Amino acid sequence: MENWYIPITIIPGIGLLILSTSNLMVALSNEMRMLIADTTTTQILMEKKLRQLKLLNSAMVFLYSSVGFLLVSGLVSGIMQSVGGHNNSFIYITIGGICWALIGLALLVIYSFKAVKLRQDQFNNKC
């Protein structure tokens, strides 16, 4: 059974997540740069923005790792198929990659909720 392509087909979707997350990181970094230049910015607001940046960075690490797992899985499966082996270890590597991607997605969901809450606090001048 040819299963080497299954983990490889998931990678473009994760790549789009990585692209959108890196765009979020750039936008957040630019916002932080503007807040640093503003003398009325509070320390609390900057700390919250730094926590947001850390959360996005963690999500990126999980997404990048997921791509690595899926690439290795496809490679192992393809090699096993070409040498006639029947080792199903690629399935566990694929599951690991999917789990890492799900953790990255969970971090992005947490980021989204916290970003909205922070915007509400900024609007209400609580930070």
Side-chain angles (χ1 to χ4, degrees), residues 4-124:
W4 64 267
Y5 58 86
I6 293 173
I8 304 299
T9 58
I10 299 171
I11 292 173
I14 296 173
L16 287 173
L17 288 171
I18 290 171
L19 180 64
S20 67
T21 304
S22 64
N23 287 337
L24 286 172
M25 286 181 74
V26 168
L28 183 58
S29 294
N30 289 337
E31 183 182 357
M32 290 174 67
R33 186 177 304 119
M34 289 181 358
L35 288 173
I36 289 170
D38 185 11
T39 58
T40 62
T41 303
T42 64
Q43 182 71 22
I44 295 170
L45 178 60
M46 286 307 295
E47 288 173 2
K48 288 182 179 184
K49 293 290 181 183
L50 281 172
R51 276 187 255 139
Q52 279 186 317
L53 194 59
K54 280 184 177 180
L55 195 57
L56 283 176
N57 189 43
S58 297
M60 289 286 279
V61 167
F62 280 104
L63 293 173
Y64 281 135
S65 300
S66 172
V67 168
F69 276 119
L70 294 171
L71 284 174
V72 168
S73 174
L75 183 64
V76 167
S77 178
I79 290 172
M80 286 303 199
Q81 180 183 346
S82 68
V83 298
H86 296 289
N87 189 350
N88 289 332
S89 62
F90 77 93
I91 293 172
Y92 301 113
I93 301 170
T94 302
I95 291 170
I98 292 170
C99 288
W100 283 88
L102 289 174
I103 292 170
L105 281 172
L107 291 174
L108 289 174
V109 168
I110 292 168
Y111 166 80
S112 297
F113 282 118
K114 287 186 175 187
V116 169
K117 174 74 170 112
L118 182 58
R119 289 287 182 204
Q120 288 174 336
D121 289 347
Q122 281 180 283
F123 181 72
N124 294 328

